[in-house]
Amino acid sequence: MSSFVTLTLVVVAAVVCLTVVWAVLTARRLDRLHIRLDRARASYDAAVVHRDAVAEIAANTRDDGAARCALDAAHQRVDLSLRLYNDAVAATRAVRLKPGVRALRLAGTAPMPEFYGSARSTKE
């Protein structure tokens, strides 16, 4: 075997190995991002349920000061949860829309995440 053929085989093997390592690391990252997305979604859903419960209690209570304070805190918690969820969506979509990830179908069959309740959801 000539040195040119040997060098070519080594280069091809190195490129294949690097591609496989990149694909495995990216697939793991996508998995972690989808887990983060699921947790953020659960946190947002829990915050909405909590806010609705606080609003119902506030509607049936005569004390406006303490119930109003609790309702404001619940609204802030929903807003924070929504921001965290949308940040997780943005991070996941950024990785999933890369050409290499799409070409190798590293996201599997998971649906593309969508933004909730923000101006970003209408832009994309």
Side-chain angles (χ1 to χ4, degrees), residues 16 22 28 30 38 57 61 123:
V16 168
W22 173 83
R28 285 182 179 173
L30 270 173
D38 291 342
I57 291 170
T61 310
K123 292 180 184 176

Side-chain angles (χ1 to χ4, degrees), residues 28-75:
R28 285 182 179 173
R29 181 170 182 221
L30 270 173
D31 186 47
R32 288 191 311 268
L33 286 170
H34 278 281
I35 290 169
R36 174 182 167 204
L37 190 64
D38 291 342
R39 289 180 179 166
R41 170 72 187 260
S43 174
Y44 174 70
D45 290 343
V48 169
V49 168
H50 176 73
R51 181 196 59 196
D52 292 346
V54 169
E56 185 176 335
I57 291 170
N60 296 327
T61 310
R62 294 183 189 266
D63 184 14
D64 288 337
R68 175 54 97 186
C69 183
L71 191 56
D72 288 342
H75 279 297

